[in-house]
Every structure is written in C-alpha cells, then in structure tokens.
Amino acid sequence: MTSTLNQPDRLLRLPDLKPITGMGRTLTYGEIKRGRFPKPVKLGRLSAWPESEVLAWIEARKAERSAA
C-alpha cells in the first residue's frame, strides 16, 4: 500500500512499534498469535510491519472505543 504522496509504505521494526502502540515485544507477539494485531513481513530473520497496517489497527481500536 502506498500513501497519498506515492511514497512506499514504510516498514516499522519492533523498536519503532513500541512508541506508536505502547506494546512491548511479548504483548505484540501475543496479540499477533491471537489474531488481534497485523502479522509482520518477514525480511530474512527480521520482522517488520507496514506502517499503514499499524495505523489502520490503531484507527480500528479507536473506532471500537467510540462504538462501545
């Protein structure tokens, strides 16, 4: 997915995720296992998450809060 400026979707590593989501490694991978967080893109041994998917996940959490 690309942004409106036709820039490629940035891949976020785990240290980049923590300030955005507030979740550490254990919680992040637990939520992935439960199907409640986007799966990472595997880059060899490394994992990264498309920024657009993480931001969409955050927006969905906000929408759930508003609907409750």
Side-chain angles (χ1 to χ4, degrees):
M1 181 175 197
T2 58
S3 70
T4 56
L5 300 175
N6 292 327
Q7 295 176 352
D9 200 6
R10 190 168 77 131
L11 292 175
L12 304 173
R13 298 284 315 282
L14 191 60
D16 302 321
L17 278 183
K18 194 169 183 175
I20 296 170
T21 65
M23 299 189 312
R25 181 186 194 287
T26 302
L27 182 56
T28 298
Y29 281 100
E31 292 297 288
I32 291 166
K33 187 175 182 178
R34 292 177 195 86
R36 298 190 298 220
F37 193 75
K39 291 182 180 180
V41 173
K42 297 302 274 182
L43 306 169
R45 290 181 42 198
L46 305 175
S47 296
W49 289 260
E51 184 176 35
S52 62
E53 291 180 18
V54 174
L55 297 177
W57 176 84
I58 291 169
E59 291 303 315
R61 301 295 73 75
K62 290 166 53 177
E64 286 176 6
R65 177 189 64 190
S66 299

Short mmCIF file of all heavy atoms in Angstrom, two decimals:
data_model
loop_
_atom_site.label_atom_id
_atom_site.label_comp_id
_atom_site.label_asym_id
_atom_site.label_seq_id
_atom_site.Cartn_x
_atom_site.Cartn_y
_atom_site.Cartn_z
N MET A 1 0.85 -1.18 0.00
CA MET A 1 0.00 0.00 0.00
C MET A 1 0.88 1.23 0.00
O MET A 1 1.91 1.27 0.66
CB MET A 1 -0.90 -0.03 1.23
CG MET A 1 -1.82 1.13 1.33
SD MET A 1 -2.93 0.90 2.73
CE MET A 1 -4.14 2.09 2.28
N THR A 2 0.51 2.25 -0.72
CA THR A 2 1.28 3.48 -0.76
C THR A 2 0.47 4.62 -0.19
O THR A 2 -0.75 4.58 -0.16
CB THR A 2 1.71 3.83 -2.20
OG1 THR A 2 0.55 3.96 -3.00
CG2 THR A 2 2.62 2.76 -2.77
N SER A 3 1.15 5.64 0.26
CA SER A 3 0.46 6.81 0.80
C SER A 3 -0.05 7.68 -0.34
O SER A 3 0.23 7.43 -1.50
CB SER A 3 1.41 7.60 1.69
OG SER A 3 2.40 8.23 0.90
N THR A 4 -0.75 8.73 0.03
CA THR A 4 -1.30 9.62 -0.99
C THR A 4 -0.22 10.37 -1.75
O THR A 4 -0.48 10.89 -2.83
CB THR A 4 -2.27 10.63 -0.35
OG1 THR A 4 -1.57 11.35 0.67
CG2 THR A 4 -3.48 9.92 0.23
N LEU A 5 0.98 10.41 -1.23
CA LEU A 5 2.08 11.10 -1.91
C LEU A 5 2.90 10.15 -2.77
O LEU A 5 3.98 10.48 -3.20
CB LEU A 5 2.99 11.78 -0.88
CG LEU A 5 2.33 12.83 0.01
CD1 LEU A 5 3.32 13.32 1.05
CD2 LEU A 5 1.81 13.98 -0.82
N ASN A 6 2.39 8.94 -3.00
CA ASN A 6 3.06 7.92 -3.80
C ASN A 6 4.42 7.52 -3.22
O ASN A 6 5.33 7.16 -3.95
CB ASN A 6 3.21 8.34 -5.26
CG ASN A 6 1.88 8.40 -5.96
OD1 ASN A 6 0.99 7.61 -5.66
ND2 ASN A 6 1.72 9.32 -6.88
N GLN A 7 4.53 7.61 -1.91
CA GLN A 7 5.73 7.12 -1.25
C GLN A 7 5.49 5.68 -0.82
O GLN A 7 4.38 5.33 -0.44
CB GLN A 7 6.06 7.98 -0.03
CG GLN A 7 6.41 9.40 -0.38
CD GLN A 7 6.64 10.24 0.86
OE1 GLN A 7 6.39 9.82 1.97
NE2 GLN A 7 7.11 11.45 0.66
N PRO A 8 6.50 4.85 -0.85
CA PRO A 8 6.30 3.46 -0.43
C PRO A 8 5.93 3.39 1.05
O PRO A 8 6.32 4.25 1.83
CB PRO A 8 7.65 2.80 -0.71
CG PRO A 8 8.61 3.90 -0.90
CD PRO A 8 7.85 5.13 -1.27
N ASP A 9 5.16 2.37 1.39
CA ASP A 9 4.77 2.15 2.77
C ASP A 9 6.02 1.83 3.59
O ASP A 9 6.79 0.94 3.25
CB ASP A 9 3.79 0.97 2.80
CG ASP A 9 2.96 0.93 4.06
OD1 ASP A 9 3.03 1.88 4.86
OD2 ASP A 9 2.23 -0.05 4.23
N ARG A 10 6.24 2.56 4.63
CA ARG A 10 7.41 2.38 5.48
C ARG A 10 7.25 1.12 6.31
O ARG A 10 6.16 0.81 6.80
CB ARG A 10 7.55 3.60 6.39
CG ARG A 10 8.82 3.66 7.16
CD ARG A 10 8.98 5.01 7.77
NE ARG A 10 8.13 5.13 8.94
CZ ARG A 10 8.53 5.58 10.13
NH1 ARG A 10 9.76 6.00 10.27
NH2 ARG A 10 7.71 5.65 11.14
N LEU A 11 8.30 0.37 6.47
CA LEU A 11 8.29 -0.83 7.32
C LEU A 11 8.85 -0.45 8.69
O LEU A 11 9.92 0.14 8.79
CB LEU A 11 9.13 -1.94 6.69
CG LEU A 11 8.56 -2.54 5.41
CD1 LEU A 11 9.53 -3.54 4.82
CD2 LEU A 11 7.20 -3.18 5.65
N LEU A 12 8.09 -0.81 9.72
CA LEU A 12 8.47 -0.49 11.09
C LEU A 12 9.02 -1.72 11.78
O LEU A 12 8.42 -2.78 11.74
CB LEU A 12 7.23 0.01 11.86
CG LEU A 12 6.49 1.19 11.28
CD1 LEU A 12 5.21 1.45 12.05
CD2 LEU A 12 7.37 2.42 11.26
N ARG A 13 10.15 -1.57 12.41
CA ARG A 13 10.73 -2.64 13.22
C ARG A 13 10.14 -2.56 14.62
O ARG A 13 9.50 -1.57 14.99
CB ARG A 13 12.25 -2.50 13.26
CG ARG A 13 12.95 -2.61 11.89
CD ARG A 13 13.05 -4.02 11.37
NE ARG A 13 13.47 -4.97 12.37
CZ ARG A 13 14.72 -5.15 12.80
NH1 ARG A 13 15.70 -4.44 12.30
NH2 ARG A 13 14.99 -6.04 13.73
N LEU A 14 10.35 -3.57 15.43
CA LEU A 14 9.78 -3.63 16.76
C LEU A 14 10.11 -2.38 17.60
O LEU A 14 9.21 -1.83 18.25
CB LEU A 14 10.20 -4.91 17.47
CG LEU A 14 9.48 -5.23 18.77
CD1 LEU A 14 7.98 -5.37 18.54
CD2 LEU A 14 10.03 -6.49 19.38
N PRO A 15 11.35 -1.90 17.60
CA PRO A 15 11.63 -0.69 18.39
C PRO A 15 10.82 0.53 17.89
O PRO A 15 10.54 1.44 18.67
CB PRO A 15 13.13 -0.45 18.19
CG PRO A 15 13.67 -1.80 17.86
CD PRO A 15 12.59 -2.49 17.07
N ASP A 16 10.44 0.54 16.61
CA ASP A 16 9.61 1.63 16.07
C ASP A 16 8.16 1.47 16.51
O ASP A 16 7.43 2.46 16.63
CB ASP A 16 9.66 1.65 14.54
CG ASP A 16 11.06 1.80 13.99
OD1 ASP A 16 11.84 2.59 14.57
OD2 ASP A 16 11.38 1.14 12.98
N LEU A 17 7.72 0.23 16.69
CA LEU A 17 6.33 -0.05 17.07
C LEU A 17 6.03 0.38 18.49
O LEU A 17 4.94 0.88 18.78
CB LEU A 17 6.04 -1.55 16.98
CG LEU A 17 5.70 -2.17 15.66
CD1 LEU A 17 5.37 -3.64 15.86
CD2 LEU A 17 4.55 -1.46 15.00
N LYS A 18 6.96 0.14 19.39
CA LYS A 18 6.72 0.36 20.81
C LYS A 18 6.23 1.78 21.12
O LYS A 18 5.23 1.94 21.81
CB LYS A 18 7.95 0.02 21.63
CG LYS A 18 7.66 -0.09 23.10
CD LYS A 18 8.82 -0.70 23.84
CE LYS A 18 8.44 -0.86 25.30
NZ LYS A 18 9.46 -1.55 26.05
N PRO A 19 6.86 2.84 20.60
CA PRO A 19 6.36 4.18 20.90
C PRO A 19 4.99 4.48 20.26
O PRO A 19 4.23 5.29 20.76
CB PRO A 19 7.42 5.13 20.32
CG PRO A 19 8.55 4.30 19.91
CD PRO A 19 8.13 2.87 19.88
N ILE A 20 4.68 3.79 19.17
CA ILE A 20 3.42 4.03 18.46
C ILE A 20 2.27 3.29 19.14
O ILE A 20 1.18 3.84 19.32
CB ILE A 20 3.53 3.61 16.98
CG1 ILE A 20 4.55 4.47 16.27
CG2 ILE A 20 2.19 3.68 16.28
CD1 ILE A 20 4.92 3.99 14.88
N THR A 21 2.50 2.03 19.51
CA THR A 21 1.43 1.19 20.06
C THR A 21 1.44 1.11 21.57
O THR A 21 0.42 0.78 22.17
CB THR A 21 1.53 -0.25 19.51
OG1 THR A 21 2.74 -0.83 19.99
CG2 THR A 21 1.47 -0.27 18.00
N GLY A 22 2.59 1.36 22.17
CA GLY A 22 2.72 1.21 23.61
C GLY A 22 2.89 -0.24 24.04
O GLY A 22 2.91 -0.53 25.24
N MET A 23 3.02 -1.13 23.08
CA MET A 23 3.16 -2.56 23.40
C MET A 23 4.61 -2.99 23.25
O MET A 23 5.28 -2.62 22.31
CB MET A 23 2.29 -3.41 22.45
CG MET A 23 0.82 -3.11 22.53
SD MET A 23 -0.25 -4.25 21.63
CE MET A 23 0.51 -4.39 20.04
N GLY A 24 5.04 -3.83 24.18
CA GLY A 24 6.37 -4.41 24.10
C GLY A 24 6.37 -5.65 23.23
O GLY A 24 5.35 -6.04 22.65
N ARG A 25 7.50 -6.31 23.17
CA ARG A 25 7.68 -7.48 22.31
C ARG A 25 6.71 -8.61 22.67
O ARG A 25 6.03 -9.15 21.80
CB ARG A 25 9.12 -7.97 22.44
CG ARG A 25 9.45 -9.16 21.57
CD ARG A 25 10.87 -9.67 21.87
NE ARG A 25 11.35 -10.58 20.87
CZ ARG A 25 10.93 -11.83 20.71
NH1 ARG A 25 9.99 -12.30 21.50
NH2 ARG A 25 11.43 -12.59 19.77
N THR A 26 6.62 -8.97 23.94
CA THR A 26 5.79 -10.10 24.36
C THR A 26 4.32 -9.84 24.03
O THR A 26 3.64 -10.72 23.48
CB THR A 26 5.96 -10.37 25.86
OG1 THR A 26 7.35 -10.63 26.11
CG2 THR A 26 5.13 -11.56 26.31
N LEU A 27 3.82 -8.67 24.36
CA LEU A 27 2.42 -8.36 24.09
C LEU A 27 2.16 -8.29 22.59
O LEU A 27 1.14 -8.81 22.11
CB LEU A 27 2.02 -7.04 24.74
CG LEU A 27 0.55 -6.63 24.58
CD1 LEU A 27 -0.38 -7.71 25.09
CD2 LEU A 27 0.29 -5.32 25.29
N THR A 28 3.07 -7.69 21.84
CA THR A 28 2.91 -7.61 20.38
C THR A 28 2.76 -8.99 19.77
O THR A 28 1.81 -9.27 19.03
CB THR A 28 4.09 -6.87 19.73
OG1 THR A 28 4.14 -5.53 20.25
CG2 THR A 28 3.96 -6.81 18.22
N TYR A 29 3.69 -9.88 20.08
CA TYR A 29 3.64 -11.23 19.50
C TYR A 29 2.46 -12.04 20.04
O TYR A 29 1.89 -12.87 19.33
CB TYR A 29 4.97 -11.95 19.68
CG TYR A 29 5.98 -11.49 18.65
CD1 TYR A 29 6.95 -10.55 18.97
CD2 TYR A 29 5.92 -11.96 17.35
CE1 TYR A 29 7.86 -10.11 18.02
CE2 TYR A 29 6.82 -11.52 16.38
CZ TYR A 29 7.78 -10.60 16.72
OH TYR A 29 8.67 -10.15 15.77
N GLY A 30 2.05 -11.78 21.29
CA GLY A 30 0.86 -12.44 21.82
C GLY A 30 -0.40 -12.02 21.06
O GLY A 30 -1.26 -12.84 20.74
N GLU A 31 -0.50 -10.73 20.76
CA GLU A 31 -1.65 -10.22 20.01
C GLU A 31 -1.65 -10.75 18.58
O GLU A 31 -2.71 -11.02 18.01
CB GLU A 31 -1.67 -8.70 20.03
CG GLU A 31 -1.95 -8.11 21.41
CD GLU A 31 -3.33 -8.49 21.93
OE1 GLU A 31 -4.32 -7.96 21.40
OE2 GLU A 31 -3.41 -9.32 22.85
N ILE A 32 -0.48 -10.91 17.99
CA ILE A 32 -0.39 -11.50 16.64
C ILE A 32 -0.90 -12.94 16.70
O ILE A 32 -1.70 -13.36 15.86
CB ILE A 32 1.06 -11.45 16.11
CG1 ILE A 32 1.48 -10.01 15.83
CG2 ILE A 32 1.21 -12.31 14.85
CD1 ILE A 32 2.96 -9.83 15.62
N LYS A 33 -0.45 -13.69 17.70
CA LYS A 33 -0.86 -15.08 17.84
C LYS A 33 -2.37 -15.21 18.01
O LYS A 33 -2.99 -16.15 17.49
CB LYS A 33 -0.14 -15.70 19.04
CG LYS A 33 -0.35 -17.18 19.19
CD LYS A 33 0.49 -17.72 20.34
CE LYS A 33 0.31 -19.22 20.46
NZ LYS A 33 1.15 -19.77 21.53
N ARG A 34 -2.98 -14.25 18.71
CA ARG A 34 -4.43 -14.26 18.92
C ARG A 34 -5.20 -13.68 17.73
O ARG A 34 -6.42 -13.63 17.75
CB ARG A 34 -4.76 -13.47 20.18
CG ARG A 34 -4.28 -14.12 21.45
CD ARG A 34 -4.59 -13.24 22.67
NE ARG A 34 -3.85 -13.67 23.83
CZ ARG A 34 -2.60 -13.31 24.14
NH1 ARG A 34 -1.94 -12.48 23.36
NH2 ARG A 34 -2.02 -13.75 25.22
N GLY A 35 -4.48 -13.19 16.72
CA GLY A 35 -5.13 -12.62 15.54
C GLY A 35 -5.64 -11.21 15.74
O GLY A 35 -6.51 -10.75 15.01
N ARG A 36 -5.08 -10.50 16.73
CA ARG A 36 -5.56 -9.16 17.05
C ARG A 36 -4.57 -8.05 16.71
O ARG A 36 -4.78 -6.90 17.09
CB ARG A 36 -5.94 -9.09 18.53
CG ARG A 36 -7.06 -10.06 18.87
CD ARG A 36 -7.62 -9.86 20.24
NE ARG A 36 -6.64 -10.07 21.29
CZ ARG A 36 -6.91 -10.68 22.44
NH1 ARG A 36 -8.12 -11.14 22.69
NH2 ARG A 36 -5.98 -10.81 23.35
N PHE A 37 -3.51 -8.41 16.01
CA PHE A 37 -2.52 -7.41 15.56
C PHE A 37 -1.98 -7.90 14.23
O PHE A 37 -1.87 -9.11 14.01
CB PHE A 37 -1.39 -7.28 16.59
CG PHE A 37 -0.51 -6.08 16.35
CD1 PHE A 37 -0.93 -4.81 16.66
CD2 PHE A 37 0.75 -6.24 15.78
CE1 PHE A 37 -0.12 -3.70 16.43
CE2 PHE A 37 1.57 -5.15 15.55
CZ PHE A 37 1.12 -3.87 15.87
N PRO A 38 -1.66 -6.97 13.31
CA PRO A 38 -1.16 -7.39 12.00
C PRO A 38 0.09 -8.27 12.09
O PRO A 38 0.97 -8.03 12.93
CB PRO A 38 -0.82 -6.07 11.30
CG PRO A 38 -1.58 -5.02 12.04
CD PRO A 38 -1.74 -5.52 13.44
N LYS A 39 0.15 -9.27 11.23
CA LYS A 39 1.34 -10.12 11.15
C LYS A 39 2.48 -9.33 10.51
O LYS A 39 2.25 -8.50 9.64
CB LYS A 39 1.05 -11.36 10.32
CG LYS A 39 0.11 -12.33 11.00
CD LYS A 39 -0.09 -13.56 10.15
CE LYS A 39 -1.03 -14.51 10.84
NZ LYS A 39 -1.25 -15.73 10.05
N PRO A 40 3.70 -9.61 10.93
CA PRO A 40 4.84 -8.91 10.34
C PRO A 40 5.20 -9.44 8.96
O PRO A 40 4.84 -10.56 8.60
CB PRO A 40 5.97 -9.19 11.33
CG PRO A 40 5.62 -10.50 11.93
CD PRO A 40 4.11 -10.52 12.00
N VAL A 41 5.91 -8.64 8.24
CA VAL A 41 6.52 -9.04 6.97
C VAL A 41 7.89 -9.59 7.36
O VAL A 41 8.64 -8.94 8.11
CB VAL A 41 6.69 -7.82 6.03
CG1 VAL A 41 7.48 -8.19 4.80
CG2 VAL A 41 5.34 -7.23 5.69
N LYS A 42 8.20 -10.78 6.93
CA LYS A 42 9.49 -11.37 7.26
C LYS A 42 10.53 -10.91 6.24
O LYS A 42 10.31 -10.98 5.04
CB LYS A 42 9.40 -12.90 7.26
CG LYS A 42 8.44 -13.46 8.30
CD LYS A 42 8.81 -13.04 9.71
CE LYS A 42 9.82 -13.98 10.29
NZ LYS A 42 10.19 -13.69 11.67
N LEU A 43 11.63 -10.42 6.74
CA LEU A 43 12.77 -9.98 5.93
C LEU A 43 13.97 -10.81 6.34
O LEU A 43 14.81 -10.37 7.11
CB LEU A 43 13.04 -8.49 6.15
CG LEU A 43 11.86 -7.54 5.94
CD1 LEU A 43 12.20 -6.16 6.44
CD2 LEU A 43 11.49 -7.51 4.47
N GLY A 44 13.99 -12.04 5.87
CA GLY A 44 15.02 -12.97 6.34
C GLY A 44 14.72 -13.31 7.78
O GLY A 44 13.63 -13.77 8.09
N ARG A 45 15.64 -13.04 8.67
CA ARG A 45 15.43 -13.28 10.10
C ARG A 45 14.70 -12.12 10.78
O ARG A 45 14.28 -12.24 11.92
CB ARG A 45 16.77 -13.50 10.79
CG ARG A 45 17.42 -14.80 10.41
CD ARG A 45 18.73 -15.03 11.12
NE ARG A 45 18.66 -14.64 12.52
CZ ARG A 45 19.71 -14.40 13.28
NH1 ARG A 45 20.92 -14.50 12.79
NH2 ARG A 45 19.57 -14.06 14.55
N LEU A 46 14.60 -11.01 10.09
CA LEU A 46 13.99 -9.82 10.67
C LEU A 46 12.49 -9.77 10.42
O LEU A 46 12.00 -10.33 9.44
CB LEU A 46 14.64 -8.56 10.08
CG LEU A 46 16.16 -8.46 10.19
CD1 LEU A 46 16.63 -7.22 9.46
CD2 LEU A 46 16.58 -8.44 11.63
N SER A 47 11.78 -9.07 11.29
CA SER A 47 10.36 -8.84 11.11
C SER A 47 10.11 -7.35 11.08
O SER A 47 10.76 -6.58 11.81
CB SER A 47 9.57 -9.44 12.28
OG SER A 47 9.70 -10.83 12.31
N ALA A 48 9.16 -6.94 10.25
CA ALA A 48 8.79 -5.53 10.17
C ALA A 48 7.31 -5.45 9.83
O ALA A 48 6.75 -6.37 9.24
CB ALA A 48 9.63 -4.81 9.11
N TRP A 49 6.69 -4.36 10.20
CA TRP A 49 5.26 -4.17 9.98
C TRP A 49 5.04 -2.97 9.08
O TRP A 49 5.62 -1.91 9.30
CB TRP A 49 4.56 -3.91 11.32
CG TRP A 49 4.49 -5.10 12.20
CD1 TRP A 49 3.42 -5.92 12.37
CD2 TRP A 49 5.52 -5.64 13.03
NE1 TRP A 49 3.71 -6.93 13.25
CE2 TRP A 49 5.01 -6.78 13.67
CE3 TRP A 49 6.83 -5.27 13.30
CZ2 TRP A 49 5.75 -7.54 14.56
CZ3 TRP A 49 7.58 -6.03 14.17
CH2 TRP A 49 7.04 -7.16 14.79
N PRO A 50 4.18 -3.11 8.05
CA PRO A 50 3.86 -1.96 7.21
C PRO A 50 3.18 -0.88 8.06
O PRO A 50 2.23 -1.17 8.82
CB PRO A 50 2.90 -2.52 6.17
CG PRO A 50 3.20 -3.99 6.13
CD PRO A 50 3.58 -4.35 7.54
N GLU A 51 3.67 0.31 7.97
CA GLU A 51 3.15 1.41 8.77
C GLU A 51 1.65 1.60 8.56
O GLU A 51 0.91 1.85 9.51
CB GLU A 51 3.90 2.70 8.44
CG GLU A 51 3.50 3.88 9.28
CD GLU A 51 4.32 5.11 8.99
OE1 GLU A 51 4.71 5.31 7.82
OE2 GLU A 51 4.60 5.87 9.93
N SER A 52 1.19 1.44 7.33
CA SER A 52 -0.23 1.64 7.04
C SER A 52 -1.09 0.63 7.80
O SER A 52 -2.18 0.97 8.28
CB SER A 52 -0.50 1.53 5.54
OG SER A 52 -0.16 0.23 5.08
N GLU A 53 -0.62 -0.61 7.96
CA GLU A 53 -1.38 -1.62 8.68
C GLU A 53 -1.42 -1.31 10.18
O GLU A 53 -2.45 -1.51 10.83
CB GLU A 53 -0.79 -3.01 8.44
CG GLU A 53 -0.99 -3.50 7.03
CD GLU A 53 -0.41 -4.88 6.79
OE1 GLU A 53 -0.15 -5.62 7.76
OE2 GLU A 53 -0.22 -5.22 5.61
N VAL A 54 -0.32 -0.83 10.71
CA VAL A 54 -0.27 -0.47 12.14
C VAL A 54 -1.20 0.71 12.40
O VAL A 54 -1.99 0.70 13.36
CB VAL A 54 1.17 -0.15 12.58
CG1 VAL A 54 1.20 0.37 14.01
CG2 VAL A 54 2.05 -1.39 12.44
N LEU A 55 -1.16 1.72 11.53
CA LEU A 55 -2.04 2.88 11.71
C LEU A 55 -3.51 2.50 11.54
O LEU A 55 -4.36 3.01 12.27
CB LEU A 55 -1.64 3.99 10.74
CG LEU A 55 -0.23 4.56 10.96
CD1 LEU A 55 0.09 5.61 9.90
CD2 LEU A 55 -0.08 5.13 12.36
N ALA A 56 -3.81 1.59 10.63
CA ALA A 56 -5.18 1.12 10.46
C ALA A 56 -5.63 0.35 11.70
O ALA A 56 -6.79 0.48 12.13
CB ALA A 56 -5.29 0.23 9.22
N TRP A 57 -4.75 -0.42 12.31
CA TRP A 57 -5.06 -1.15 13.53
C TRP A 57 -5.39 -0.17 14.66
O TRP A 57 -6.36 -0.36 15.40
CB TRP A 57 -3.87 -2.04 13.91
CG TRP A 57 -4.03 -2.76 15.21
CD1 TRP A 57 -4.68 -3.93 15.41
CD2 TRP A 57 -3.52 -2.35 16.47
NE1 TRP A 57 -4.62 -4.28 16.75
CE2 TRP A 57 -3.91 -3.32 17.42
CE3 TRP A 57 -2.79 -1.25 16.91
CZ2 TRP A 57 -3.58 -3.22 18.77
CZ3 TRP A 57 -2.47 -1.16 18.26
CH2 TRP A 57 -2.86 -2.14 19.16
N ILE A 58 -4.61 0.91 14.77
CA ILE A 58 -4.87 1.93 15.79
C ILE A 58 -6.23 2.59 15.55
O ILE A 58 -7.01 2.76 16.48
CB ILE A 58 -3.74 2.98 15.80
CG1 ILE A 58 -2.45 2.35 16.32
CG2 ILE A 58 -4.14 4.20 16.63
CD1 ILE A 58 -1.21 3.20 16.14
N GLU A 59 -6.52 2.93 14.31
CA GLU A 59 -7.81 3.55 13.99
C GLU A 59 -8.97 2.61 14.31
O GLU A 59 -10.02 3.05 14.80
CB GLU A 59 -7.86 3.98 12.52
CG GLU A 59 -6.94 5.15 12.19
CD GLU A 59 -7.21 6.39 13.04
OE1 GLU A 59 -8.41 6.74 13.22
OE2 GLU A 59 -6.25 6.98 13.54
N ALA A 60 -8.79 1.32 14.08
CA ALA A 60 -9.84 0.34 14.40
C ALA A 60 -10.06 0.28 15.91
O ALA A 60 -11.20 0.14 16.36
CB ALA A 60 -9.47 -1.03 13.84
N ARG A 61 -9.00 0.36 16.71
CA ARG A 61 -9.14 0.36 18.17
C ARG A 61 -9.90 1.60 18.62
O ARG A 61 -10.74 1.54 19.50
CB ARG A 61 -7.77 0.35 18.88
CG ARG A 61 -6.84 -0.81 18.58
CD ARG A 61 -7.29 -2.19 19.01
NE ARG A 61 -8.33 -2.76 18.23
CZ ARG A 61 -8.23 -3.29 17.00
NH1 ARG A 61 -7.11 -3.27 16.36
NH2 ARG A 61 -9.28 -3.82 16.40
N LYS A 62 -9.62 2.75 17.98
CA LYS A 62 -10.34 3.98 18.33
C LYS A 62 -11.81 3.87 17.96
O LYS A 62 -12.67 4.33 18.72
CB LYS A 62 -9.68 5.17 17.63
CG LYS A 62 -8.30 5.49 18.22
CD LYS A 62 -7.46 6.42 17.38
CE LYS A 62 -8.06 7.70 16.96
NZ LYS A 62 -7.13 8.57 16.20
N ALA A 63 -12.10 3.27 16.83
CA ALA A 63 -13.50 3.10 16.39
C ALA A 63 -14.24 2.17 17.35
O ALA A 63 -15.41 2.41 17.68
CB ALA A 63 -13.54 2.55 14.97
N GLU A 64 -13.57 1.10 17.80
CA GLU A 64 -14.19 0.19 18.78
C GLU A 64 -14.52 0.93 20.06
O GLU A 64 -15.57 0.71 20.66
CB GLU A 64 -13.25 -0.97 19.09
CG GLU A 64 -13.14 -2.00 18.00
CD GLU A 64 -12.11 -3.07 18.33
OE1 GLU A 64 -11.55 -3.08 19.46
OE2 GLU A 64 -11.85 -3.91 17.46
N ARG A 65 -13.62 1.78 20.49
CA ARG A 65 -13.84 2.56 21.71
C ARG A 65 -15.05 3.47 21.56
O ARG A 65 -15.90 3.56 22.44
CB ARG A 65 -12.61 3.39 22.02
CG ARG A 65 -12.77 4.28 23.24
CD ARG A 65 -11.63 5.24 23.39
NE ARG A 65 -11.63 6.15 22.23
CZ ARG A 65 -10.66 6.98 21.95
NH1 ARG A 65 -9.58 7.01 22.69
NH2 ARG A 65 -10.74 7.76 20.91
N SER A 66 -15.17 4.12 20.42
CA SER A 66 -16.29 5.03 20.16
C SER A 66 -17.62 4.28 20.06
O SER A 66 -18.65 4.81 20.45
CB SER A 66 -16.04 5.80 18.86
OG SER A 66 -14.87 6.59 18.98
N ALA A 67 -17.58 3.06 19.55
CA ALA A 67 -18.81 2.28 19.37
C ALA A 67 -19.30 1.71 20.70
O ALA A 67 -20.47 1.39 20.84
CB ALA A 67 -18.58 1.15 18.37
N ALA A 68 -18.39 1.57 21.67
CA ALA A 68 -18.77 0.94 22.96
C ALA A 68 -19.55 1.87 23.85
O ALA A 68 -19.70 2.98 23.77
CB ALA A 68 -17.51 0.47 23.68
#
